[in-house]
Amino acid sequence: MNEKAKKLYEGITNIDDDLIEEAYAYKEKAGTKGIVKRFIAVAACLCLCAAASLPVMAATGNAKAYDLLYKVSPTIAQKLKPVNKSCESKGIRMEVESAHIEGPKAEILVSFEDLERNRIDETLDLFDSYRINEPHDGISGCDFHHYDEDTGKATFLLSIEYDDGETIEGEKVTFSVDRLLINKDETKCELFMIDMAALEEVTETFNPEKYGAAYDPALEGWDWEDQKVLVPNEGKAVEICEGIYFTGAGLVDEELHIQMKYDDVFNTDNHGFVSLKDADGNIVECKRSISFTDEQWINGYEEYLFDVPAEKLKDYVVVGEFVSSGGLIHGDWEITFPISEEMATSND
């Protein structure tokens, strides 16, 4: 690489992400007037390709150069992206298996296989961390497809459809993932520790820093940000399943509050739902719930509020449905492949 190309290479790698985002946002706002600016930007990137060999930069892991070019021209970026139909990270291999094509639509199967331990099963979740880069505007998504016990592979289905109706065969797609949520487990049970006939009015509450709420849209005049919650009773917490605990119940202004704790919520996605059930099996769901964390923003709490007259609560039991997990695996999985019916799984 000559000196001029080297300086251009270093310039791209040192571009601040905020400046890239700002420039891209400006281009989007420009509308039709931005066509000239877009042409100039593409031309500039082509000059950089010629001078600094962008394919070489991408092949050596220059993610900034690839991301910059993809924002300006996805078509050019994908043409320059080297083909790599499988990859490994943290002892787990991701690999493209096959594709089915119908004109502008394609369905691609991508598998994950643990090469070191037994961390993958039918509960594998990509934790909304996937990214699909395609050369044209379109609609894309990714869903769990199946798990094969014989091979130990969990397979996901990528769906892509071009907006312009152009055929998709032969185009090159990049699929990347950086987090895998493993070993999810579902638990349904009765919260036997809550005596619905002996609930008391709670006077010790507080107003936490909240990060979410759910409520019936029909409710009017409810200020969830000002909602008081129970003080977690950590000393008497009852473990329902791994990483999920009951931490308190009581009446606040004659309204039933039930509180659950979910350990390391942002890395485990531990979550659940609590309901009331009467003797006939009829279910009463909560009308509102509040989400908040501990001071370290590690463990999450969910407080469920029920609009049932206090004198009738003795006619119900509390039931819950919970999902826990073995946590996240952070990695760097990325594959790039041309879409074809004859797609092979080996690298080119």
Side-chain angles (χ1 to χ4, degrees):
M1 184 181 295
N2 61 36
E3 190 63 27
K4 182 180 291 186
K6 183 178 180 182
K7 289 181 179 180
L8 286 169
Y9 175 89
E10 293 173 350
I12 289 179
T13 58
N14 291 324
I15 292 175
D16 186 87
D17 289 337
D18 292 337
L19 291 178
I20 295 173
E21 293 295 335
E22 184 177 342
Y24 186 62
Y26 178 81
K27 178 182 71 64
E28 291 296 314
K29 291 179 180 179
T32 56
K33 293 181 180 179
I35 293 176
V36 174
K37 291 184 175 62
R38 182 182 179 91
F39 176 80
I40 293 173
V42 171
C45 283
L46 288 174
C47 289
L48 287 173
C49 292
S53 186
L54 188 55
V56 174
M57 288 189 277
T60 56
N62 192 323
K64 282 189 176 182
Y66 167 71
D67 288 343
L68 173 60
L69 187 55
Y70 187 83
K71 288 178 178 180
V72 176
S73 175
T75 301
I76 295 175
Q78 288 308 109
K79 285 184 180 297
L80 293 173
K81 189 75 169 173
V83 170
N84 181 33
K85 297 178 183 177
S86 69
C87 66
E88 294 180 18
S89 180
K90 300 299 178 65
I92 294 175
R93 177 166 61 206
M94 181 173 76
E95 186 171 26
V96 59
E97 298 282 351
S98 63
H100 174 68
I101 304 166
E102 289 185 9
K105 301 179 182 179
E107 293 182 335
I108 303 119
L109 291 177
V110 174
S111 67
F112 291 84
E113 180 184 6
D114 195 339
L115 305 177
E116 297 180 352
R117 302 192 295 278
N118 188 27
R119 293 169 291 178
I120 287 179
D121 58 22
E122 67 276 5
T123 69
L124 186 66
D125 190 325
L126 305 187
F127 208 56
D128 294 329
S129 72
Y130 71 84
R131 178 180 173 186
I132 301 173
N133 282 3
E134 54 198 276
H136 301 298
D137 291 337
I139 301 171
S140 60
C142 176
D143 296 292
F144 180 82
H145 189 261
H146 73 277
Y147 174 72
D148 189 324
E149 291 187 359
D150 293 333
T151 63
K153 291 183 178 182
T155 303
F156 288 78
L157 178 66
L158 278 60
S159 301
I160 302 173
E161 181 175 359
Y162 283 175
D163 288 342
D164 55 14
E166 292 292 326
T167 181
I168 198 170
E169 185 163 10
E171 298 285 18
K172 200 186 297 180
V173 171
T174 298
F175 179 65
S176 59
V177 176
D178 60 32
R179 288 172 293 172
L180 299 177
L181 186 65
I182 61 171
N183 304 136
K184 293 166 64 176
D185 188 35
E186 296 184 7
T187 300
K188 296 181 180 180
C189 62
E190 177 183 334
L191 302 189
F192 60 87
M193 71 290 300
I194 303 177
D195 186 349
M196 297 293 281
L199 292 169
E200 299 180 350
E201 188 74 21
V202 177
T203 57
E204 188 177 0
T205 60
F206 75 111
N207 192 345
E209 183 176 354
K210 307 171 185 69
Y211 67 87
Y215 56 93
D216 187 336
L219 294 174
E220 296 182 359
W222 180 53
D223 183 2
W224 70 273
E225 293 185 344
D226 193 44
Q227 178 68 57
K228 301 290 185 179
V229 300
L230 306 176
V231 176
N233 191 342
E234 303 287 1
K236 294 184 178 180
V238 178
E239 186 172 19
I240 305 301
C241 52
E242 185 175 357
I244 298 178
Y245 301 82
F246 163 75
T247 51
L251 302 175
V252 179
D253 296 330
E254 297 189 346
E255 184 175 49
L256 174 61
H257 287 226
I258 298 175
Q259 185 185 96
M260 303 296 300
K261 175 186 176 182
Y262 301 100
D263 279 358
D264 198 15
V265 63
F266 300 114
N267 287 311
T268 62
D269 194 36
N270 289 345
H271 62 277
F273 195 77
V274 171
S275 307
L276 306 182
K277 183 174 72 173
D278 66 15
D280 296 324
N282 298 313
I283 298 294
V284 176
E285 298 181 349
C286 70
K287 291 291 185 180
R288 297 172 285 175
S289 68
I290 295 291
S291 305
F292 61 99
T293 72
D294 54 21
E295 292 182 356
Q296 293 75 33
W297 279 78
I298 296 176
N299 301 312
Y301 296 83
E302 188 87 9
E303 191 143 324
Y304 308 90
L305 286 61
F306 293 86
D307 187 18
V308 175
E311 65 273 11
K312 294 186 177 182
L313 290 174
K314 65 181 184 301
D315 300 326
Y316 295 90
V317 296
V318 182
V319 293
E321 298 183 16
F322 306 101
V323 178
S324 59
S325 81
L328 285 177
I329 299 176
H330 294 265
D332 183 19
W333 297 272
E334 182 179 280
I335 53 177
T336 297
F337 51 90
I339 302 175
S340 65
E341 294 283 5
E342 297 78 23
M343 186 182 295
T345 58
S346 59
N347 288 331
D348 285 2

